Every structure is written in C-alpha cells, then in structure tokens.
Amino acid sequence: MSSTAGQVIKCRAAVAWEAGKPLVMEEVEVAPPKAMEVRLKILYSSLCHTDVYFWEAKGQTPVFPRIFGHEAGGVVESVGEGVTDLSPGDHVLPIFMGECKECAHCKSTESNMCDLLRINTDRGVMISDGQSRFSLNGKPIYHFLGTSTFSEFTVVHVGCVAKINPLAPLDKVCVISCGISTGYGAAVNVAKPPKGSTVAVFGLGAVGLAAAEGARASGASRIIGVDLNPKRFEEAKKFGVTEFVNPTDYDIPVQEVLAEMTNGGVDRSIECSGSTSAMISAFECVHDGWGVAVLVGVPHKDAVFKTHPVNFLVERTLKGTFYGNYKPRSDIPAVVEKYMAKELELEKFITHSVPFSEINKAFDYMLKGESLRCIIHMDG
C-alpha cells in the first residue's frame, strides 16, 4: 500500500446525497493525510443507529452530501506529518471520540471528553484546515463524526485511531469502535452496579444489550429490560436480561411500575433509546438514597429534560456518558483483548452481513428493527 502514499486515491464510497434517500455508490477522490492525520483502508464497517438517525436528519442539522459510517475496522495506508505512533499496515479501529492525550480531559482519570477531538455531529470537515478530504468532480463530500467509514479509504485525525492487536478479527471487533463499547462502558465504567444489584436498561437495541452485558459482567442479579417492542425480549435473554417491561402494557408511568417491582426503585438504570420520556423514566425509577441513572441515547437537538428538583434532593444521581467513558487510544486496545480472551462475546451482536455494494440493505434491516449489527464487507 505504500506505493499510494502521498497520492490521491480513487475508490468507492457510499454517498448520502440527501436525507432519507438511498446511498449512492460513487467513485470519490480521497486526498492524502495532512499533519496529524492518517489515511485508512477500511476492510469492514458496521451500521450503527446513529448513522441512520443523521441520515434521516430528523431533529438534527442536515449536512449533505456526506459519507456516513463510524463503526469500522481497517489498516493504516499512510500517515501524515507528525504521526509517530502509527505506521502503514497497523490494524486499527477509527473512533468518533478522539484522544489528543494533551488536554485537561485527556489527562483526567474521570473524563474522555477531549477538548480537541470530542464528538461533533455538525462538522463535516477536518479540524486542521476546515477542508474535506473527499471530493467528487472537484466538489467536496462531507465527513461524518471524523470517521466516514462507508468509503474504501478515509482520512482520520490520529487521535481518533486505536491501534489494536493484529490477530483480532476485524469483522468482529469493528463493533467495538462504537455501539458495544458505548453500552458496555456505560455499565461497567459509569453506572458501576454493585454485585447483587438491580439494573433497568431502557432500549434493547445493540447499545442497550451491550449495557445489559456490562451489568451482568458487573454482577447484577436482576436486569430489567424496558422496550416498546416485545419482539426484542426473547433475544435479550442472551445478554443477561432477566425480566421485561413494555411501558404500553400499563396505565401508570413505567417508573412507577419499576418502583413497585423493586421495592422502591432499581439500584441503577441505563437509558439507551434517545427518547426524553425514557430518560425521565430512567432517572425517576432509581431508588432514592443511592440510585444512579446513566443517560446514553442521543436526543433530538431541541429536546428538554424535565423532572422535579426533589428527585435530586432525595439523593438520586443522574449521569451522562459518551462512548462509555472509554478513552479510545488508551482503553480500546484492552477491550479488544477482552474479546480475544473470550471475556466479551461479540458474535451474538452480529445478526447480518452484506457486501459493500448492497449497503442499503443494512439500512433496511435497521429500519425494520430486524438487525442488531450488520457487518458491511468493503471488498464486496
């Protein structure tokens, strides 16, 4: 691959030209990486619900034409000036949250919210020069989450690239680069349920199931799944969910249902749906005195969270997290090793597989609620 270093690469990319319309396979030009950037050859990508959410552009700022994708695995093709810890051929996961290793957040043991590289859903260009590295017929195609993995080659800031064990199968560990780490980390790093505790998980998509898996790994004895889709309940048992609640089955708020089931409230709750009503329920269902609620889902940009201040005064705690509080460069290689050591199962999250040329099928599966994760083989 070194023969392409410093040159513009022409490759296939699935371009979203407008909101909600099928992606179009185009031959785009991918510029070489500039200072502190790397160009990656993407081998496998996966469809995350966040891609669908911003592709639909319902309640978010529309930025088009754009190359979506942020959950992937690949190899380094070339590196820009100043990049010292990555080399061509390294196996990597591009990650939407960055780690510059220099700011106060990166130096903190409590935060992963890098000042330089924190998530920015509206930005469609590279931070170094405000330009896109993708073009078609001389016109820019915009980036998404600094990753844009629905392209055979992409350019990413070095701080958003985790170097991993080259023996790890990229078609499996690619899901660690977003959804699975987000849910699992929300449980083990943020909620931290004590052994024997009761945990409620709101939203039983891939992220919620990963949160349930994290709660089980932490030793929770009861894991209550809350979802509007009863079809998800049977599948959720594989991830440690022990009981199920569908809010539409009750005439009272679901937080009251959960309080009745658990003698006053759950010890921990993790909200993974993005619904503000679910966020409020997740907070109000935790036990007073020690209950902790963790918000994971991405809300509508105009969403408002309302609850009575007394809910805080009675010593409930509300937290939020992006990417499960993991620092991508420092922490993610160890998460990959958890999979390699068979301490973290990824296969059960992967329900479908499609060639790159049929990427729109992955969107169909997600929209129909049929898939947890669909792996996209970029060579197909």
Side-chain angles (χ1 to χ4, degrees):
M1 288 188 294
S2 58
S3 63
T4 54
Q7 301 176 21
V8 171
I9 290 178
K10 289 186 176 181
C11 70
R12 291 183 304 164
V15 177
W17 288 99
E18 54 184 304
K21 295 296 175 66
L23 306 187
V24 179
M25 202 63 67
E26 305 277 12
E27 184 180 69
V28 300
E29 294 189 337
V30 185
K34 296 193 176 182
M36 302 309 291
E37 296 173 359
V38 294
R39 188 162 58 185
L40 309 178
K41 179 176 175 63
I42 301 297
L43 299 177
Y44 300 94
S45 198
S46 171
L47 181 63
C48 173
H49 189 265
T50 302
D51 294 305
V52 177
Y53 190 46
F54 283 88
W55 165 73
E56 291 178 318
K58 295 176 180 176
Q60 302 296 339
T61 305
V63 180
F64 295 97
R66 201 171 204 181
I67 297 172
F68 286 101
H70 65 283
E71 201 174 86
V75 295
V76 175
E77 175 269 337
S78 61
V79 303
E81 181 184 350
V83 176
T84 58
D85 55 351
L86 289 171
S87 303
D90 284 345
H91 286 221
V92 296
L93 302 181
I95 295 173
F96 68 94
M97 290 281 289
E99 181 186 358
C100 74
K101 295 195 174 184
E102 296 175 0
C103 71
H105 286 275
C106 286
K107 291 179 178 179
S108 165
T109 58
E110 298 182 32
S111 173
N112 68 341
M113 298 298 295
C114 175
D115 282 330
L116 180 67
L117 299 168
R118 69 176 56 189
I119 184 172
N120 184 328
T121 57
D122 293 343
R123 186 175 61 229
V125 294
M126 300 300 289
I127 61 171
S128 63
D129 60 0
Q131 302 293 315
S132 174
R133 301 290 176 263
F134 299 108
S135 62
L136 178 61
N137 300 324
K139 295 183 178 179
I141 306 292
Y142 294 109
H143 295 248
F144 179 62
L145 294 182
T147 51
S148 291
T149 63
F150 295 162
S151 174
E152 292 174 315
F153 288 86
T154 188
V155 177
V156 182
H157 191 284
V158 67
C160 297
V161 180
K163 180 180 175 180
I164 65 166
N165 184 343
L167 299 178
L170 289 171
D171 61 332
K172 306 294 191 301
V173 299
C174 62
V175 299
I176 288 174
S177 65
C178 178
I180 308 313
S181 298
T182 295
Y184 191 85
V188 301
N189 295 336
V190 187
K192 299 178 180 177
K195 279 187 168 52
S197 60
T198 299
V199 178
V201 176
F202 288 72
L204 297 178
V207 175
L209 293 175
E213 189 84 353
R216 176 166 65 178
S218 299
S221 61
R222 294 177 71 186
I223 302 172
I224 305 170
V226 183
D227 201 289
L228 300 173
N229 182 357
K231 294 179 182 177
R232 288 179 160 176
F233 291 167
E234 191 62 33
E235 181 79 12
K237 293 177 183 177
K238 300 176 189 175
F239 300 85
V241 176
T242 57
E243 299 160 69
F244 307 96
V245 172
N246 183 339
T248 61
D249 290 342
Y250 300 89
D251 296 327
I252 58 175
V254 70
Q255 52 266 48
E256 295 180 19
V257 175
L258 292 166
E260 288 178 6
M261 290 173 63
T262 57
N263 193 28
V266 298
D267 302 301
R268 301 289 187 267
S269 71
I270 306 170
E271 184 285 320
C272 302
S273 72
S275 157
T276 47
S277 63
M279 292 177 182
I280 293 164
S281 296
F283 176 53
E284 294 182 356
C285 80
V286 298
H287 205 290
D288 57 8
W290 61 79
V292 178
V294 178
L295 305 187
V296 178
V298 179
H300 187 289
K301 65 182 175 64
D302 298 321
V304 175
F305 182 101
K306 292 183 179 180
T307 191
H308 198 281
V310 166
N311 288 320
F312 290 96
L313 295 175
V314 295
E315 300 179 8
R316 291 185 178 97
T317 298
L318 180 65
K319 293 184 173 184
T321 179
F322 268 123
Y323 199 48
N325 205 232
Y326 285 118
K327 296 179 190 287
R329 297 161 83 184
S330 299
D331 299 336
I332 291 309
V335 180
V336 171
E337 292 307 316
K338 272 186 174 290
Y339 167 75
M340 297 296 281
K342 296 183 167 53
E343 295 172 18
L344 176 62
E345 293 181 57
L346 298 179
E347 285 83 358
K348 60 188 177 183
F349 290 96
I350 299 169
T351 54
H352 295 78
S353 173
V354 297
F356 188 31
S357 58
E358 298 178 16
I359 188 172
N360 287 303
K361 280 187 178 179
F363 279 74
D364 291 340
Y365 292 140
M366 180 80 69
L367 290 167
K368 292 176 182 175
E370 295 175 357
S371 72
L372 291 176
R373 279 296 182 267
C374 179
I375 304 298
I376 299 155
H377 295 250
M378 300 300 288
D379 60 356

